[in-house]
Amino acid sequence: MGDSTPAGQFFDAAITLLQRVRDEEAGAIEAAGTLLADAVAGGGRLFAFGAGHSSLAAQDLVYRAGGLALMNLLPVPGMVGVDVRPATLGSALERVDGLAEVVLDSSPLRAGDVLVIISLSGRNTLPVEMAMGARARGVKVIGVTSVAYAAQTSSRHSSGTYLKDHCDLVLDSKIAVGDAELSLDTIPAPFAPASTVVTTALLQAVMATTACTLAERGVEPPLLRSGNVDGGHDWNRRIMQEYRDRIFYQH
């Protein structure tokens, strides 16, 4: 049963994780979609943040065909992917006390907004303080993390807590500690991480729920179309003009 090649084994592992998230997180996905729909309908703004490779899932939500136009990236210098040099600096910055407060103070976040914070381990100072600071400002926080890390690793925040402890809603990606799905006796380290594909799919499931929830309420979801189909640019121009006060990536 299944494909015994490394590629086949990776696909099988990713599919199994996706099925687990679909089945075990269905209630949380529905709740997160409803929370985002409430914010959209109520005039709130939407933001996403992730550090390092977790930033990939945050970026995947912003300014994309089929996505909500209102989702903005909350940028942190040195945290957007692996563009900082050296790349290890990004990992170090995640552990710096006070950085989250500086970012929040200079951001447009305000009470009534929603912030999606993506951190696979949820153990580092930055995502923990980001969640704490956002909630203190009246922002709703959706945390996307692997809850397993809280049971199998130590927190790097002075409180001993994790991202999951400071959220209005938690979405568990089910990724195993170490984020590597395959191993071989002839290879000294585990390999083939699946967190990006699983986390991205999990969040797109939330976005789909948000769009359908708005439609059920009689509200047209502010979706973007592909600029590579006829009429796409005109459509997007209209959406961006209509919601210009809640879209920060076009300023």
Side-chain angles (χ1 to χ4, degrees), residues 19-112:
Q19 289 173 330
R20 279 193 63 198
V21 169
R22 179 194 64 192
D23 297 341
E24 297 173 19
E25 296 300 295
I29 290 169
E30 184 72 26
T34 300
L35 183 61
L36 290 173
D38 289 345
V40 171
R45 293 90 57 80
L46 312 180
F47 297 84
F49 165 76
H53 285 92
S54 290
S55 178
L56 296 174
Q59 293 177 60
D60 190 60
L61 300 175
V62 179
Y63 184 54
R64 66 159 308 137
L68 284 175
L70 302 193
M71 184 60 76
N72 301 277
L73 191 68
L74 182 65
V76 179
M79 289 294 151
V80 184
V82 291
D83 60 336
V84 65
R85 296 289 184 273
T88 50
L89 177 60
S91 299
L93 288 172
E94 280 193 79
R95 304 173 192 176
V96 173
D97 291 340
L99 179 56
E101 281 296 308
V102 173
V103 169
L104 290 169
D105 281 344
S106 62
S107 79
L109 274 164
R110 67 188 185 196

